[in-house]
Amino acid sequence: MRCDHRTVALTAVPGGLLLGFLDFVWIKWVPYPFAELGNSTATWAVAAFAFGYLLRPGPVRAALGAAVLLVVAVPSYYVTATLLQADDLAVVWAPTSLLWMAFGVLAGVVFGVGGDWARRDGARQILGTALPAAVFFEEAARFAARMGDPGQPAGAGWNVTIDVALGILAVVLVGRSNRQRALALAVAAPVAVVIFIGFAVAAGF
């Protein structure tokens, strides 16, 4: 049963506050390499996917609600950093924060709709199911590309392994049949390439 606008709003805002808080706490106290999951664009994208998938609000409400979730999570993260380690509160309205909010809108729309699509039938279901795997595979590729960087922590290969494993696990959990899971994994690879190119283009600006 689909939820209404009120339920979407009452879930997205506190959900975003909780996501930002837990993300900072995870980064601060969970040991490496698992701490990287808190500093992960894939983790936030999958949070937006989960919003659409679990609430089943329909594609429009999924897009709006997941975008609100991620946008609210950004200042929540920085406020938590201020409270727990006395960071400068001004970073909440700094350009970096605003840029992450803009990315949150984009990721929220795409992955929120993807979560809703994963509940439907046909090609949309396959693409929706593929999205969490694609974003984890893309992040694994970025980790792999930086493994020769002297600034990269020792054991960075674990981050590649963790992201690939989580991508596969997401498809296993979301997919409804082995055939759907196999198709979703096949689709995830080219989608991951598209996301990878998108990050490369964004980094060039």
Side-chain angles (χ1 to χ4, degrees):
M1 184 175 182
R2 293 180 181 176
C3 55
D4 56 17
H5 294 296
R6 179 182 175 86
T7 303
V8 169
L10 291 177
T11 304
V13 174
L17 293 172
L18 184 62
L19 175 61
F21 171 80
L22 292 178
D23 190 70
F24 181 83
V25 169
W26 183 278
I27 292 170
K28 188 170 179 65
W29 280 293
V30 172
Y32 181 84
F34 293 100
E36 286 289 348
L37 291 174
N39 194 30
S40 164
T41 53
T43 299
W44 283 47
V46 171
F49 176 90
F51 182 92
Y53 183 81
L54 296 175
L55 266 67
R56 290 181 282 181
V60 174
R61 284 192 288 249
L64 293 175
V68 170
L69 175 86
L70 297 188
V71 168
V72 170
V74 175
S76 174
Y77 174 92
Y78 289 120
V79 169
T80 302
T82 298
L83 295 174
L84 295 184
Q85 66 178 29
D87 282 8
D88 188 354
L89 186 60
V91 74
V92 171
W93 50 85
T96 300
S97 178
L98 298 178
L99 179 61
W100 280 118
M101 289 184 198
F103 281 136
V105 173
L106 176 61
V109 169
V110 172
F111 286 88
V113 172
D116 180 80
W117 280 6
R119 292 283 195 176
R120 296 173 180 267
D121 297 320
R124 289 182 300 176
Q125 185 184 61
I126 300 300
L127 180 56
T129 303
L131 280 176
V135 75
F136 274 122
F137 292 167
E138 183 279 332
E139 188 170 77
R142 280 190 285 128
F143 275 123
R146 297 198 303 263
M147 282 179 63
D149 189 340
Q152 197 72 3
W158 278 108
N159 298 123
V160 176
T161 302
I162 290 169
D163 275 347
V164 170
L166 288 175
I168 294 171
L169 178 61
V171 169
V172 170
L173 293 176
V174 174
R176 299 181 185 178
S177 68
N178 289 335
R179 179 179 180 276
Q180 182 188 342
R181 294 179 184 111
L183 289 172
L185 285 173
V187 170
V191 174
V193 172
V194 172
I195 299 172
F196 186 90
I197 293 172
F199 269 109
V201 171
F205 287 98

